[in-house]
Amino acid sequence: MAARKARSKCRSAPFDPTGPSAPRRTQRGPRLTLAKTHARFVCQSCGAASTRWSGRCDGCGGWNTIVEEAPRESAPGGLGTAGRRRGHKIDFASLDGPAEGAPRRACGIAEFDRVCGGGLVPGSAILIGGDPGIGKSTLLLQVAAALAAPGTSAAPACLYVSGEEAVDQLRLRARRLGLSRAPVLLAAATAVRDIAASLDTAEPPGIVVIDSIQTMFVDSLDSAPGTVSQVRASAQELIRLAKRRGFTVLLVGHVTKDGQIAGPKVLEHMVDAVLSFEGERGHQFRILRATKNRYGATDEIGVFEMTDGGLMEVPNPSALFLAERRGNVSGSAVFAGLEGTRPVLVEVQALVSPSSLATPRRAVIGWDAGRLAMVLAVLEARCGLALAGREVYLNVAGGLRIGEPAADLAVAAALVSAASDRPVPAETVVFGEIGLSGEVRAVSQTEVRLKEAAKLGFTRALVPPRRARPGEKGGRKRDGGGRDGGLEIQEIAHLQDLVARFAADGPPRIGRRAGGGG
Ligand code: TYD
Ligand code: MG
């Protein structure tokens, strides 16, 4: 009745865009259009939602995985006004108030601690994803054992709950890792209710590993373990408990065929950090990468080597990635990259071969295929390199995945070198971003990259043109070259400059700003 009265009042009021009622009207508009509700059909294996049921999920390709779920909110009713509880006032605080919080717990495995942002934060939840058999359980057992080491003062109690392996199997692994004597407590359990009851004690543990979240189940739900609703509910219970009792929970998450953490994306939103453990099966290198971190930088990597005795830290990954490089072969360029805060040198390999196919193959390992297509198009359109009818293969040696655009120039160098069958000059590192007109753009942290290259014995660098900084001693030379930290610097302003270096003889086709060579 009251509502009708209000509506009629509203209708009778003349519309005045400048009047006091104007803003209220504009707020109401979208509310009316949102009121329609739709059923949601959610894939129970990947979490993809659609408006129709179908037998096969478009997201993950799974059959018979789609189930209708009630819409989360039937109507976006908002808070309303009439007859509702008034909210309590919340207190706002200033930024510089005292920030309490227990100190981070560093486990002493430097590669792991760095990725976590300097150690594990009490009361936080970390999700670790990775392919099966990549070494997630091994890593977490090693981390738990390192944290529980009796030598460290106030070592937290570390619990390892496995839903995948029996206690005996975990013991066997610990023996293999030489950690049998570490005071880590093991359990094989999958019922979240039991786990929560065991953790919610007077003396809560410091670290809890849940291996894996897909095996856990909450008994109040009907669906099977591993389904979206179970994964979501189990994670929610465990994370809530971790926050309340102040322990760190490390959740192992499976990944789907295309590398996503299986289960709902919401799992990634619920945790404080998402780490992915990557690596090629055939290689012994494993890379731990933070893709989300509320308590530290993302894009930090930790490099490990899988050995007979478990995962070993690799403090100098560049040396490892370049270990099998053979000099003086065409199609190989060394990229001076940056992973988080640390410089990493990797070899980029390219192969360009004639093709009998109408659509020649393009295959990439360790780099973005779209980015490769762009570099190929720029080489073709701006530098006249004929690559359209040839097969192109690109590989980042050592199993590292590069995400930086700074690798463009190194990829281009490897491609041009492969196409012209002339090696990139010996002991040369390359980095720079390529624009669509073929210009080479500056990248961040040039000095750090050059320093790492010099440290590993490189003598030359092909880099983007560098701007003289105002404070710099005497300014930077603008002749396209110079020396820096023992390296001979050759600036490449345009991709054509790079191509000209590999041209059989003949002068370059455009005036080059970079120094001689090639
Ligand atoms: P695991 O930690 O079980 O992988 P995930 O939990 O990610 O599935 O690691 C299994 C692989 O690691 C297995 O293929 C054997 C290998 N491995 C070693 O090479 N050395 C070792 O010391 C251990 C424990 C495992
Ligand atoms: Mg495992």
Side-chain angles (χ1 to χ4, degrees), residues 350-365 369 372-373 376 380 387-394 415:
L351 179 68
V352 176
S353 69
S355 177
S356 54
L357 301 173
T359 314
R361 274 183 72 107
R362 257 97 231 241
V364 197
I365 300 173
L372 172 67
L376 288 172
E380 193 130 359
L387 294 165
R390 304 166 82 179
E391 301 198 343
V392 176
Y393 300 91
L394 192 83
L415 288 170

Side-chain angles (χ1 to χ4, degrees), residues 75-98:
L79 291 176
T81 46
R84 298 280 168 89
R85 179 177 78 82
R86 287 185 72 101
H88 291 293
K89 265 206 184 119
I90 52 169
D91 294 326
F92 290 89
S94 69
L95 276 175
D96 66 349

Side-chain angles (χ1 to χ4, degrees), residues 131-138 173 176-177 211 306-310:
D131 285 334
I134 204 77
K136 302 179 292 295
S137 307
T138 308
R173 175 179 291 134
R176 187 171 172 188
L177 300 171
D211 188 4
M306 184 60 101
T307 66
D308 287 347

